């Protein structure tokens, strides 16, 4: 995966630095900015995260930057390598399968609970989100549509009012974005949007079985379109030896 040196500058411009912000707030700003850039596919797997550059861009000390990178490392979004520094994580195929397995468990539970209690107002909110999704899918701005398509799953979780569950799912969705970049997902934004529409239709009918089936099918489709098992190359055959 190609590493782009200018990516960090693009990330930092999203959140203007505040020289008067306390260290904890500055740390969280860096964490939030890098996390958002990963989720929106603006930071590629393997990108080097220079402490000095990040510190200069956010006008904070390298100690603050290290705190942010350590937090991102605990979230499995960044890898810290001795004597080399910090890099955006490059998820393996095994990690990808684990992430989607956990997403399936969590999102199935969310779907069952929410479909049994969802209100007409919540259906209206979901339709509004789908309208934004549809507009973004037809737009050329990839980060915006990527964020909206991921947020659909968070909107469902937030409707249950469980912040712990929402945070867990948020972290898994960000890791899913890295996985899609690393393993070159062929699942199109248009497909995801259509599948989201079908899920909301099932919610509106209060059809729990259909909603669970459609959510499961959606996640299977997304995972299926990842290149998790690339064809093994027989070097001897290629070189005719």
């Amino acid at each position: 995966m190609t590493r782009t040196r200018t990516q960090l500058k693009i990330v930092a411009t999203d959140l203007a630095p505040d020289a008067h912000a306390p260290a904890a707030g500055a740390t969280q700003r860096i964490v939030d900015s890098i996390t958002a850039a990963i989720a929106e596919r603006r930071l590629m797997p393997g990108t080097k995260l220079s402490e000095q550059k990040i510190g200069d861009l956010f006008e904070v000390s390298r100690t603050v930057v290290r705190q942010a990178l350590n937090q991102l490392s605990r979230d499995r979004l960044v890898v810290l390598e001795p004597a080399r520094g910090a890099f955006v994580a490059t998820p393996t195929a095994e990690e990808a399968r684990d992430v989607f397995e956990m997403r399936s468990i969590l999102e199935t539970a969310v779907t069952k609970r929410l479909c049994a209690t969802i209100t007409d107002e919540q259906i209206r909110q979901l339709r509004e989100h789908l309208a934004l999704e549809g507009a973004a899918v037809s737009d050329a701005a990839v980060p915006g549509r990527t964020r909206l398509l991921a947020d659909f799953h968070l909107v469902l979780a937030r409707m249950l009012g469980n912040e712990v569950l929402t945070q867990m799912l948020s972290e898994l969705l960000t890791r899913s974005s890295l996985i899609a970049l690393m393993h070159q997902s062929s699942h199109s934004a248009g497909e995801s949007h259509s599948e989201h529409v079908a899920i909301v239709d099932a919610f509106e009918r209060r059809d729990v079985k259909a909603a669970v089936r459609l959510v499961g099918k959606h996640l299977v489709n997304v995972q299926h379109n990842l290149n998790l098992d690339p064809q093994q190359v027989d070097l001897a055959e290629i070189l005719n030896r």
Side-chain angles (χ1 to χ4, degrees), residues 178-226:
L178 264 181
I179 289 163
L181 284 169
M182 189 67 193
H183 296 282
Q184 301 179 345
S185 173
S186 62
H187 196 69
S188 73
E191 285 179 277
S192 285
H193 175 64
S194 296
E195 290 165 359
H196 290 175
V197 171
I199 291 167
V200 174
D201 288 344
F203 273 115
E204 190 164 26
R205 299 192 305 270
R206 275 65 175 183
D207 189 338
V208 177
K209 288 184 178 180
V212 169
R213 176 177 56 79
L214 289 166
V215 167
K217 181 181 178 182
H218 171 55
L219 293 177
V220 167
N221 288 344
V222 173
Q223 183 175 352
H224 178 74
N225 283 279
L226 294 171

mmCIF file of all heavy atoms in Angstrom, residues 178-226:
data_model
loop_
_atom_site.group_PDB
_atom_site.id
_atom_site.type_symbol
_atom_site.label_atom_id
_atom_site.label_comp_id
_atom_site.label_asym_id
_atom_site.label_seq_id
_atom_site.Cartn_x
_atom_site.Cartn_y
_atom_site.Cartn_z
ATOM 1 N N LEU A 178 -10.335 0.362 7.422
ATOM 2 C CA LEU A 178 -8.943 -0.010 7.156
ATOM 3 C C LEU A 178 -8.871 -1.323 6.381
ATOM 4 O O LEU A 178 -8.086 -1.483 5.450
ATOM 5 C CB LEU A 178 -8.190 -0.175 8.479
ATOM 6 C CG LEU A 178 -7.373 1.006 8.994
ATOM 7 C CD1 LEU A 178 -6.688 0.625 10.299
ATOM 8 C CD2 LEU A 178 -6.347 1.463 7.976
ATOM 9 N N ILE A 179 -9.708 -2.260 6.792
ATOM 10 C CA ILE A 179 -9.729 -3.578 6.143
ATOM 11 C C ILE A 179 -10.131 -3.437 4.681
ATOM 12 O O ILE A 179 -9.533 -4.058 3.790
ATOM 13 C CB ILE A 179 -10.700 -4.517 6.885
ATOM 14 C CG1 ILE A 179 -10.107 -4.899 8.253
ATOM 15 C CG2 ILE A 179 -10.996 -5.768 6.058
ATOM 16 C CD1 ILE A 179 -11.127 -5.466 9.211
ATOM 17 N N ALA A 180 -11.139 -2.604 4.421
ATOM 18 C CA ALA A 180 -11.597 -2.411 3.044
ATOM 19 C C ALA A 180 -10.493 -1.813 2.178
ATOM 20 O O ALA A 180 -10.350 -2.166 1.003
ATOM 21 C CB ALA A 180 -12.830 -1.505 3.029
ATOM 22 N N LEU A 181 -9.709 -0.906 2.757
ATOM 23 C CA LEU A 181 -8.585 -0.328 2.027
ATOM 24 C C LEU A 181 -7.489 -1.360 1.788
ATOM 25 O O LEU A 181 -6.940 -1.466 0.690
ATOM 26 C CB LEU A 181 -8.011 0.853 2.812
ATOM 27 C CG LEU A 181 -8.804 2.159 2.764
ATOM 28 C CD1 LEU A 181 -8.259 3.134 3.799
ATOM 29 C CD2 LEU A 181 -8.748 2.779 1.380
ATOM 30 N N MET A 182 -7.180 -2.117 2.835
ATOM 31 C CA MET A 182 -6.071 -3.063 2.768
ATOM 32 C C MET A 182 -6.380 -4.214 1.811
ATOM 33 O O MET A 182 -5.513 -4.681 1.076
ATOM 34 C CB MET A 182 -5.791 -3.618 4.169
ATOM 35 C CG MET A 182 -4.544 -4.445 4.278
ATOM 36 S SD MET A 182 -3.074 -3.444 4.030
ATOM 37 C CE MET A 182 -1.839 -4.712 3.832
ATOM 38 N N HIS A 183 -7.630 -4.640 1.809
ATOM 39 C CA HIS A 183 -7.989 -5.822 1.023
ATOM 40 C C HIS A 183 -8.866 -5.480 -0.189
ATOM 41 O O HIS A 183 -9.522 -6.343 -0.745
ATOM 42 C CB HIS A 183 -8.674 -6.847 1.923
ATOM 43 C CG HIS A 183 -7.778 -7.363 3.004
ATOM 44 N ND1 HIS A 183 -6.811 -8.322 2.775
ATOM 45 C CD2 HIS A 183 -7.663 -7.021 4.313
ATOM 46 C CE1 HIS A 183 -6.157 -8.564 3.903
ATOM 47 N NE2 HIS A 183 -6.657 -7.793 4.845
ATOM 48 N N GLN A 184 -8.879 -4.195 -0.555
ATOM 49 C CA GLN A 184 -9.491 -3.750 -1.801
ATOM 50 C C GLN A 184 -10.924 -4.240 -1.988
ATOM 51 O O GLN A 184 -11.217 -5.062 -2.860
ATOM 52 C CB GLN A 184 -8.628 -4.181 -2.994
ATOM 53 C CG GLN A 184 -7.221 -3.617 -2.942
ATOM 54 C CD GLN A 184 -6.361 -4.069 -4.101
ATOM 55 O OE1 GLN A 184 -6.685 -5.010 -4.818
ATOM 56 N NE2 GLN A 184 -5.242 -3.404 -4.304
ATOM 57 N N SER A 185 -11.807 -3.732 -1.174
ATOM 58 C CA SER A 185 -13.211 -4.124 -1.262
ATOM 59 C C SER A 185 -13.798 -3.741 -2.620
ATOM 60 O O SER A 185 -13.577 -2.644 -3.125
ATOM 61 C CB SER A 185 -14.018 -3.445 -0.152
ATOM 62 O OG SER A 185 -15.395 -3.690 -0.327
ATOM 63 N N SER A 186 -14.570 -4.647 -3.189
ATOM 64 C CA SER A 186 -15.270 -4.354 -4.444
ATOM 65 C C SER A 186 -16.759 -4.103 -4.204
ATOM 66 O O SER A 186 -17.530 -3.987 -5.149
ATOM 67 C CB SER A 186 -15.087 -5.513 -5.434
ATOM 68 O OG SER A 186 -15.650 -6.708 -4.907
ATOM 69 N N HIS A 187 -17.146 -4.049 -2.918
ATOM 70 C CA HIS A 187 -18.549 -3.785 -2.596
ATOM 71 C C HIS A 187 -18.810 -2.300 -2.804
ATOM 72 O O HIS A 187 -18.237 -1.459 -2.123
ATOM 73 C CB HIS A 187 -18.831 -4.184 -1.148
ATOM 74 C CG HIS A 187 -20.297 -4.312 -0.833
ATOM 75 N ND1 HIS A 187 -21.076 -5.311 -1.348
ATOM 76 C CD2 HIS A 187 -21.114 -3.562 -0.056
ATOM 77 C CE1 HIS A 187 -22.315 -5.186 -0.892
ATOM 78 N NE2 HIS A 187 -22.360 -4.131 -0.128
ATOM 79 N N SER A 188 -19.651 -1.956 -3.729
ATOM 80 C CA SER A 188 -19.827 -0.562 -4.095
ATOM 81 C C SER A 188 -20.698 0.188 -3.091
ATOM 82 O O SER A 188 -21.492 -0.407 -2.353
ATOM 83 C CB SER A 188 -20.470 -0.460 -5.476
ATOM 84 O OG SER A 188 -21.844 -0.825 -5.411
ATOM 85 N N ALA A 189 -20.539 1.502 -3.088
ATOM 86 C CA ALA A 189 -21.352 2.346 -2.219
ATOM 87 C C ALA A 189 -22.832 2.219 -2.581
ATOM 88 O O ALA A 189 -23.704 2.231 -1.707
ATOM 89 C CB ALA A 189 -20.895 3.797 -2.343
ATOM 90 N N GLY A 190 -23.108 2.079 -3.865
ATOM 91 C CA GLY A 190 -24.495 1.934 -4.301
ATOM 92 C C GLY A 190 -25.131 0.662 -3.764
ATOM 93 O O GLY A 190 -26.306 0.672 -3.353
ATOM 94 N N GLU A 191 -24.374 -0.424 -3.749
ATOM 95 C CA GLU A 191 -24.878 -1.683 -3.190
ATOM 96 C C GLU A 191 -25.186 -1.527 -1.703
ATOM 97 O O GLU A 191 -26.233 -1.975 -1.223
ATOM 98 C CB GLU A 191 -23.856 -2.795 -3.382
ATOM 99 C CG GLU A 191 -23.745 -3.340 -4.788
ATOM 100 C CD GLU A 191 -22.687 -4.424 -4.870
ATOM 101 O OE1 GLU A 191 -21.497 -4.085 -5.013
ATOM 102 O OE2 GLU A 191 -23.049 -5.612 -4.770
ATOM 103 N N SER A 192 -24.265 -0.915 -0.975
ATOM 104 C CA SER A 192 -24.463 -0.720 0.463
ATOM 105 C C SER A 192 -25.709 0.111 0.722
ATOM 106 O O SER A 192 -26.508 -0.209 1.608
ATOM 107 C CB SER A 192 -23.244 -0.033 1.088
ATOM 108 O OG SER A 192 -22.170 -0.936 1.213
ATOM 109 N N HIS A 193 -25.876 1.167 -0.048
ATOM 110 C CA HIS A 193 -27.054 2.032 0.146
ATOM 111 C C HIS A 193 -28.342 1.263 -0.114
ATOM 112 O O HIS A 193 -29.298 1.355 0.676
ATOM 113 C CB HIS A 193 -26.970 3.244 -0.783
ATOM 114 C CG HIS A 193 -28.185 4.112 -0.737
ATOM 115 N ND1 HIS A 193 -28.581 4.788 0.403
ATOM 116 C CD2 HIS A 193 -29.120 4.387 -1.686
ATOM 117 C CE1 HIS A 193 -29.696 5.458 0.152
ATOM 118 N NE2 HIS A 193 -30.043 5.223 -1.101
ATOM 119 N N SER A 194 -28.387 0.496 -1.184
ATOM 120 C CA SER A 194 -29.595 -0.285 -1.505
ATOM 121 C C SER A 194 -29.917 -1.277 -0.391
ATOM 122 O O SER A 194 -31.085 -1.482 -0.033
ATOM 123 C CB SER A 194 -29.403 -1.024 -2.829
ATOM 124 O OG SER A 194 -29.258 -0.110 -3.894
ATOM 125 N N GLU A 195 -28.875 -1.889 0.155
ATOM 126 C CA GLU A 195 -29.074 -2.842 1.247
ATOM 127 C C GLU A 195 -29.557 -2.138 2.510
ATOM 128 O O GLU A 195 -30.399 -2.673 3.246
ATOM 129 C CB GLU A 195 -27.778 -3.609 1.493
ATOM 130 C CG GLU A 195 -27.461 -4.584 0.354
ATOM 131 C CD GLU A 195 -26.034 -5.099 0.352
ATOM 132 O OE1 GLU A 195 -25.241 -4.700 1.233
ATOM 133 O OE2 GLU A 195 -25.702 -5.900 -0.542
ATOM 134 N N HIS A 196 -29.068 -0.934 2.758
ATOM 135 C CA HIS A 196 -29.552 -0.155 3.900
ATOM 136 C C HIS A 196 -31.031 0.185 3.743
ATOM 137 O O HIS A 196 -31.799 0.139 4.716
ATOM 138 C CB HIS A 196 -28.742 1.136 4.049
ATOM 139 C CG HIS A 196 -27.332 0.924 4.506
ATOM 140 N ND1 HIS A 196 -26.407 1.948 4.600
ATOM 141 C CD2 HIS A 196 -26.678 -0.204 4.905
ATOM 142 C CE1 HIS A 196 -25.255 1.460 5.037
ATOM 143 N NE2 HIS A 196 -25.401 0.155 5.223
ATOM 144 N N VAL A 197 -31.429 0.537 2.538
ATOM 145 C CA VAL A 197 -32.844 0.861 2.276
ATOM 146 C C VAL A 197 -33.720 -0.357 2.586
ATOM 147 O O VAL A 197 -34.776 -0.233 3.233
ATOM 148 C CB VAL A 197 -33.048 1.301 0.808
ATOM 149 C CG1 VAL A 197 -34.543 1.409 0.483
ATOM 150 C CG2 VAL A 197 -32.362 2.640 0.549
ATOM 151 N N ALA A 198 -33.296 -1.533 2.153
ATOM 152 C CA ALA A 198 -34.068 -2.760 2.409
ATOM 153 C C ALA A 198 -34.162 -3.036 3.904
ATOM 154 O O ALA A 198 -35.222 -3.477 4.402
ATOM 155 C CB ALA A 198 -33.420 -3.935 1.688
ATOM 156 N N ILE A 199 -33.097 -2.761 4.639
ATOM 157 C CA ILE A 199 -33.109 -2.964 6.096
ATOM 158 C C ILE A 199 -34.122 -2.048 6.753
ATOM 159 O O ILE A 199 -34.910 -2.474 7.616
ATOM 160 C CB ILE A 199 -31.693 -2.733 6.672
ATOM 161 C CG1 ILE A 199 -30.745 -3.853 6.223
ATOM 162 C CG2 ILE A 199 -31.741 -2.651 8.202
ATOM 163 C CD1 ILE A 199 -29.279 -3.551 6.474
ATOM 164 N N VAL A 200 -34.132 -0.775 6.362
ATOM 165 C CA VAL A 200 -35.078 0.176 6.947
ATOM 166 C C VAL A 200 -36.516 -0.193 6.575
ATOM 167 O O VAL A 200 -37.439 -0.050 7.392
ATOM 168 C CB VAL A 200 -34.745 1.621 6.520
ATOM 169 C CG1 VAL A 200 -35.823 2.604 7.003
ATOM 170 C CG2 VAL A 200 -33.380 2.035 7.080
ATOM 171 N N ASP A 201 -36.727 -0.683 5.371
ATOM 172 C CA ASP A 201 -38.069 -1.150 4.970
ATOM 173 C C ASP A 201 -38.548 -2.237 5.928
ATOM 174 O O ASP A 201 -39.727 -2.258 6.335
ATOM 175 C CB ASP A 201 -38.050 -1.689 3.544
ATOM 176 C CG ASP A 201 -37.905 -0.588 2.495
ATOM 177 O OD1 ASP A 201 -38.119 0.593 2.845
ATOM 178 O OD2 ASP A 201 -37.565 -0.919 1.340
ATOM 179 N N ALA A 202 -37.657 -3.149 6.288
ATOM 180 C CA ALA A 202 -38.017 -4.225 7.215
ATOM 181 C C ALA A 202 -38.303 -3.662 8.610
ATOM 182 O O ALA A 202 -39.231 -4.112 9.292
ATOM 183 C CB ALA A 202 -36.892 -5.257 7.288
ATOM 184 N N PHE A 203 -37.521 -2.669 9.040
ATOM 185 C CA PHE A 203 -37.784 -2.016 10.319
ATOM 186 C C PHE A 203 -39.173 -1.375 10.311
ATOM 187 O O PHE A 203 -39.915 -1.466 11.292
ATOM 188 C CB PHE A 203 -36.736 -0.937 10.595
ATOM 189 C CG PHE A 203 -35.492 -1.444 11.285
ATOM 190 C CD1 PHE A 203 -34.256 -1.418 10.650
ATOM 191 C CD2 PHE A 203 -35.551 -1.943 12.576
ATOM 192 C CE1 PHE A 203 -33.114 -1.878 11.277
ATOM 193 C CE2 PHE A 203 -34.419 -2.406 13.227
ATOM 194 C CZ PHE A 203 -33.186 -2.381 12.574
ATOM 195 N N GLU A 204 -39.501 -0.722 9.213
ATOM 196 C CA GLU A 204 -40.792 -0.037 9.138
ATOM 197 C C GLU A 204 -41.954 -1.035 9.220
ATOM 198 O O GLU A 204 -43.016 -0.731 9.769
ATOM 199 C CB GLU A 204 -40.888 0.775 7.846
ATOM 200 C CG GLU A 204 -42.091 1.702 7.810
ATOM 201 C CD GLU A 204 -41.976 2.754 6.728
ATOM 202 O OE1 GLU A 204 -41.280 2.508 5.716
ATOM 203 O OE2 GLU A 204 -42.576 3.828 6.884
ATOM 204 N N ARG A 205 -41.755 -2.243 8.696
ATOM 205 C CA ARG A 205 -42.778 -3.284 8.790
ATOM 206 C C ARG A 205 -42.756 -3.981 10.144
ATOM 207 O O ARG A 205 -43.616 -4.816 10.433
ATOM 208 C CB ARG A 205 -42.566 -4.342 7.696
ATOM 209 C CG ARG A 205 -42.644 -3.844 6.281
ATOM 210 C CD ARG A 205 -42.726 -4.987 5.284
ATOM 211 N NE ARG A 205 -41.614 -5.943 5.423
ATOM 212 C CZ ARG A 205 -40.458 -5.856 4.785
ATOM 213 N NH1 ARG A 205 -40.237 -4.839 3.965
ATOM 214 N NH2 ARG A 205 -39.525 -6.781 4.945
ATOM 215 N N ARG A 206 -41.731 -3.634 10.978
ATOM 216 C CA ARG A 206 -41.511 -4.300 12.270
ATOM 217 C C ARG A 206 -41.322 -5.801 12.063
ATOM 218 O O ARG A 206 -41.748 -6.628 12.869
ATOM 219 C CB ARG A 206 -42.655 -4.047 13.237
ATOM 220 C CG ARG A 206 -42.562 -2.762 14.047
ATOM 221 C CD ARG A 206 -42.639 -1.520 13.210
ATOM 222 N NE ARG A 206 -42.675 -0.295 14.023
ATOM 223 C CZ ARG A 206 -42.803 0.926 13.509
ATOM 224 N NH1 ARG A 206 -42.895 1.093 12.189
ATOM 225 N NH2 ARG A 206 -42.820 1.989 14.306
ATOM 226 N N ASP A 207 -40.656 -6.143 10.970
ATOM 227 C CA ASP A 207 -40.402 -7.532 10.624
ATOM 228 C C ASP A 207 -39.001 -7.901 11.134
ATOM 229 O O ASP A 207 -37.998 -7.729 10.434
ATOM 230 C CB ASP A 207 -40.495 -7.717 9.106
ATOM 231 C CG ASP A 207 -40.446 -9.177 8.681
ATOM 232 O OD1 ASP A 207 -39.934 -10.009 9.452
ATOM 233 O OD2 ASP A 207 -40.906 -9.480 7.559
ATOM 234 N N VAL A 208 -38.946 -8.410 12.360
ATOM 235 C CA VAL A 208 -37.667 -8.687 13.002
ATOM 236 C C VAL A 208 -36.857 -9.714 12.215
ATOM 237 O O VAL A 208 -35.656 -9.542 11.985
ATOM 238 C CB VAL A 208 -37.874 -9.175 14.452
ATOM 239 C CG1 VAL A 208 -36.540 -9.527 15.092
ATOM 240 C CG2 VAL A 208 -38.593 -8.114 15.271
ATOM 241 N N LYS A 209 -37.508 -10.805 11.794
ATOM 242 C CA LYS A 209 -36.792 -11.852 11.076
ATOM 243 C C LYS A 209 -36.174 -11.332 9.788
ATOM 244 O O LYS A 209 -35.014 -11.636 9.463
ATOM 245 C CB LYS A 209 -37.728 -13.021 10.774
ATOM 246 C CG LYS A 209 -38.111 -13.847 11.997
ATOM 247 C CD LYS A 209 -38.960 -15.040 11.597
ATOM 248 C CE LYS A 209 -39.300 -15.897 12.817
ATOM 249 N NZ LYS A 209 -40.140 -17.064 12.442
ATOM 250 N N ALA A 210 -36.949 -10.545 9.043
ATOM 251 C CA ALA A 210 -36.432 -10.000 7.781
ATOM 252 C C ALA A 210 -35.288 -9.022 8.039
ATOM 253 O O ALA A 210 -34.277 -9.032 7.324
ATOM 254 C CB ALA A 210 -37.548 -9.310 7.008
ATOM 255 N N ALA A 211 -35.433 -8.185 9.071
ATOM 256 C CA ALA A 211 -34.389 -7.206 9.378
ATOM 257 C C ALA A 211 -33.080 -7.897 9.748
ATOM 258 O O ALA A 211 -32.003 -7.518 9.271
ATOM 259 C CB ALA A 211 -34.847 -6.289 10.515
ATOM 260 N N VAL A 212 -33.180 -8.928 10.589
ATOM 261 C CA VAL A 212 -31.979 -9.671 10.988
ATOM 262 C C VAL A 212 -31.340 -10.351 9.774
ATOM 263 O O VAL A 212 -30.113 -10.322 9.600
ATOM 264 C CB VAL A 212 -32.325 -10.723 12.067
ATOM 265 C CG1 VAL A 212 -31.152 -11.676 12.289
ATOM 266 C CG2 VAL A 212 -32.696 -10.037 13.370
ATOM 267 N N ARG A 213 -32.184 -10.943 8.936
ATOM 268 C CA ARG A 213 -31.662 -11.617 7.737
ATOM 269 C C ARG A 213 -30.958 -10.624 6.812
ATOM 270 O O ARG A 213 -29.870 -10.913 6.288
ATOM 271 C CB ARG A 213 -32.808 -12.308 6.992
ATOM 272 C CG ARG A 213 -32.389 -12.961 5.676
ATOM 273 C CD ARG A 213 -33.552 -13.699 5.031
ATOM 274 N NE ARG A 213 -34.698 -12.825 4.820
ATOM 275 C CZ ARG A 213 -34.796 -11.954 3.809
ATOM 276 N NH1 ARG A 213 -33.827 -11.848 2.922
ATOM 277 N NH2 ARG A 213 -35.878 -11.218 3.675
ATOM 278 N N LEU A 214 -31.553 -9.455 6.631
ATOM 279 C CA LEU A 214 -30.989 -8.466 5.715
ATOM 280 C C LEU A 214 -29.686 -7.861 6.246
ATOM 281 O O LEU A 214 -28.754 -7.607 5.478
ATOM 282 C CB LEU A 214 -32.015 -7.361 5.447
ATOM 283 C CG LEU A 214 -33.203 -7.783 4.580
ATOM 284 C CD1 LEU A 214 -34.319 -6.748 4.659
ATOM 285 C CD2 LEU A 214 -32.758 -7.976 3.127
ATOM 286 N N VAL A 215 -29.628 -7.627 7.552
ATOM 287 C CA VAL A 215 -28.386 -7.121 8.149
ATOM 288 C C VAL A 215 -27.277 -8.152 7.993
ATOM 289 O O VAL A 215 -26.147 -7.828 7.618
ATOM 290 C CB VAL A 215 -28.596 -6.761 9.632
ATOM 291 C CG1 VAL A 215 -27.250 -6.540 10.328
ATOM 292 C CG2 VAL A 215 -29.446 -5.506 9.764
ATOM 293 N N GLY A 216 -27.613 -9.420 8.277
ATOM 294 C CA GLY A 216 -26.626 -10.482 8.120
ATOM 295 C C GLY A 216 -26.160 -10.613 6.685
ATOM 296 O O GLY A 216 -24.948 -10.761 6.425
ATOM 297 N N LYS A 217 -27.089 -10.534 5.740
ATOM 298 C CA LYS A 217 -26.743 -10.637 4.325
ATOM 299 C C LYS A 217 -25.854 -9.472 3.905
ATOM 300 O O LYS A 217 -24.895 -9.651 3.132
ATOM 301 C CB LYS A 217 -28.026 -10.653 3.482
ATOM 302 C CG LYS A 217 -27.780 -10.789 1.988
ATOM 303 C CD LYS A 217 -29.090 -10.778 1.208
ATOM 304 C CE LYS A 217 -28.826 -10.861 -0.295
ATOM 305 N NZ LYS A 217 -30.096 -10.795 -1.080
ATOM 306 N N HIS A 218 -26.161 -8.286 4.409
ATOM 307 C CA HIS A 218 -25.361 -7.094 4.092
ATOM 308 C C HIS A 218 -23.915 -7.282 4.539
ATOM 309 O O HIS A 218 -22.970 -7.041 3.769
ATOM 310 C CB HIS A 218 -25.990 -5.870 4.765
ATOM 311 C CG HIS A 218 -25.157 -4.637 4.686
ATOM 312 N ND1 HIS A 218 -24.700 -4.112 3.496
ATOM 313 C CD2 HIS A 218 -24.686 -3.809 5.660
ATOM 314 C CE1 HIS A 218 -23.993 -3.014 3.740
ATOM 315 N NE2 HIS A 218 -23.965 -2.821 5.038
ATOM 316 N N LEU A 219 -23.713 -7.743 5.766
ATOM 317 C CA LEU A 219 -22.356 -7.930 6.283
ATOM 318 C C LEU A 219 -21.628 -9.044 5.532
ATOM 319 O O LEU A 219 -20.425 -8.935 5.265
ATOM 320 C CB LEU A 219 -22.404 -8.230 7.778
ATOM 321 C CG LEU A 219 -22.889 -7.077 8.675
ATOM 322 C CD1 LEU A 219 -22.946 -7.532 10.125
ATOM 323 C CD2 LEU A 219 -21.989 -5.859 8.535
ATOM 324 N N VAL A 220 -22.353 -10.101 5.187
ATOM 325 C CA VAL A 220 -21.747 -11.189 4.408
ATOM 326 C C VAL A 220 -21.305 -10.672 3.044
ATOM 327 O O VAL A 220 -20.215 -10.994 2.558
ATOM 328 C CB VAL A 220 -22.731 -12.366 4.250
ATOM 329 C CG1 VAL A 220 -22.228 -13.349 3.183
ATOM 330 C CG2 VAL A 220 -22.908 -13.087 5.578
ATOM 331 N N ASN A 221 -22.153 -9.859 2.419
ATOM 332 C CA ASN A 221 -21.821 -9.308 1.098
ATOM 333 C C ASN A 221 -20.576 -8.433 1.156
ATOM 334 O O ASN A 221 -19.705 -8.509 0.286
ATOM 335 C CB ASN A 221 -22.993 -8.496 0.545
ATOM 336 C CG ASN A 221 -24.149 -9.370 0.102
ATOM 337 O OD1 ASN A 221 -23.989 -10.578 -0.079
ATOM 338 N ND2 ASN A 221 -25.319 -8.774 -0.060
ATOM 339 N N VAL A 222 -20.509 -7.576 2.181
ATOM 340 C CA VAL A 222 -19.356 -6.686 2.322
ATOM 341 C C VAL A 222 -18.080 -7.519 2.501
ATOM 342 O O VAL A 222 -17.059 -7.265 1.856
ATOM 343 C CB VAL A 222 -19.536 -5.717 3.505
ATOM 344 C CG1 VAL A 222 -18.254 -4.917 3.743
ATOM 345 C CG2 VAL A 222 -20.703 -4.762 3.244
ATOM 346 N N GLN A 223 -18.150 -8.515 3.390
ATOM 347 C CA GLN A 223 -16.974 -9.353 3.633
ATOM 348 C C GLN A 223 -16.612 -10.175 2.402
ATOM 349 O O GLN A 223 -15.432 -10.344 2.072
ATOM 350 C CB GLN A 223 -17.202 -10.278 4.823
ATOM 351 C CG GLN A 223 -15.972 -11.119 5.177
ATOM 352 C CD GLN A 223 -16.164 -11.951 6.432
ATOM 353 O OE1 GLN A 223 -17.150 -11.804 7.145
ATOM 354 N NE2 GLN A 223 -15.218 -12.826 6.710
ATOM 355 N N HIS A 224 -17.630 -10.683 1.710
ATOM 356 C CA HIS A 224 -17.390 -11.517 0.529
ATOM 357 C C HIS A 224 -16.635 -10.750 -0.547
ATOM 358 O O HIS A 224 -15.850 -11.333 -1.309
ATOM 359 C CB HIS A 224 -18.724 -12.030 -0.036
ATOM 360 C CG HIS A 224 -18.575 -12.867 -1.279
ATOM 361 N ND1 HIS A 224 -18.093 -14.151 -1.253
ATOM 362 C CD2 HIS A 224 -18.838 -12.582 -2.584
ATOM 363 C CE1 HIS A 224 -18.067 -14.637 -2.490
ATOM 364 N NE2 HIS A 224 -18.504 -13.702 -3.307
ATOM 365 N N ASN A 225 -16.869 -9.446 -0.619
ATOM 366 C CA ASN A 225 -16.239 -8.625 -1.642
ATOM 367 C C ASN A 225 -14.860 -8.121 -1.245
ATOM 368 O O ASN A 225 -14.273 -7.300 -1.949
ATOM 369 C CB ASN A 225 -17.149 -7.451 -2.011
ATOM 370 C CG ASN A 225 -18.294 -7.877 -2.909
ATOM 371 O OD1 ASN A 225 -18.139 -8.026 -4.104
ATOM 372 N ND2 ASN A 225 -19.457 -8.091 -2.304
ATOM 373 N N LEU A 226 -14.342 -8.606 -0.108
ATOM 374 C CA LEU A 226 -12.968 -8.314 0.289
ATOM 375 C C LEU A 226 -12.053 -9.409 -0.256
ATOM 376 O O LEU A 226 -12.410 -10.584 -0.253
ATOM 377 C CB LEU A 226 -12.841 -8.265 1.813
ATOM 378 C CG LEU A 226 -13.584 -7.140 2.522
ATOM 379 C CD1 LEU A 226 -13.530 -7.368 4.026
ATOM 380 C CD2 LEU A 226 -13.007 -5.786 2.175
#
